[in-house]
Amino acid sequence: MKCVLTDGENVLLVRHTYGKHEWDLPGGGIKRDERPLEAARREIEEELGVSLDDWRDLGYLGATEYHRHDTIYCFQAELNGKSLTLEPGEIDVAEWFSRQRLPRDSGRYVRRIVALAG
């Protein structure tokens, strides 16, 4: 599950403390019996210390990650200037980028998912 967190025309990207150290959208796994939207809310609160209620469902993508086929559920929420508290065990750094100027070293599906958010 991936989350497009926006503040106007800017998108929040993170570098995780694990895996590839490329810019990616925040998000994570879905627990057993958890709905994708509930997972989005939980992951954003755990990783970024912010509680958001107004989510938009962007659909899902079929993807291959870590040599297995997976479904990536995608959601979008506006942060409206809320401050973040990064979970140091999961997030190394978080930065805002213009939708039109995403970094070259972005994760494999970042551009496709940001495009879903319009």
Side-chain angles (χ1 to χ4, degrees):
M1 174 270 312
K2 300 284 186 180
C3 299
V4 180
L5 300 178
T6 55
D7 192 351
E9 285 301 310
N10 293 319
V11 176
L12 185 74
L13 297 181
V14 299
R15 286 190 193 262
H16 289 95
T17 57
Y18 53 85
K20 298 177 184 177
H21 288 288
E22 59 195 7
W23 289 105
D24 204 354
L25 294 163
I30 300 172
K31 294 180 179 180
R32 178 183 225 143
D33 297 325
E34 185 177 41
R35 292 187 182 128
L37 180 55
E38 292 170 352
R41 285 186 174 124
R42 176 184 52 75
E43 285 287 341
I44 295 309
E45 194 162 343
E46 288 174 4
E47 292 183 358
L48 302 173
V50 65
S51 178
L52 301 169
D53 295 319
D54 193 19
W55 289 91
R56 187 169 72 134
D57 186 339
L58 301 175
Y60 60 90
L61 300 175
T64 303
E65 288 198 26
Y66 305 107
H67 307 288
R68 66 185 175 105
H69 185 72
D70 204 357
T71 300
I72 302 175
Y73 294 92
C74 307
F75 298 93
Q76 186 269 330
E78 181 73 19
L79 278 177
N80 295 319
K82 290 185 179 182
S83 62
L84 305 174
T85 303
L86 305 183
E87 167 52 51
E90 292 196 43
I91 305 294
D92 186 35
V93 65
E95 287 190 29
W96 292 99
F97 294 91
S98 164
R99 292 178 196 232
Q100 292 75 33
R101 293 180 182 239
L102 298 174
R104 287 182 169 229
D105 61 337
S106 293
R108 185 175 185 181
Y109 299 102
V110 168
R111 284 178 173 73
R112 277 179 64 191
I113 296 170
V114 168
L116 294 172

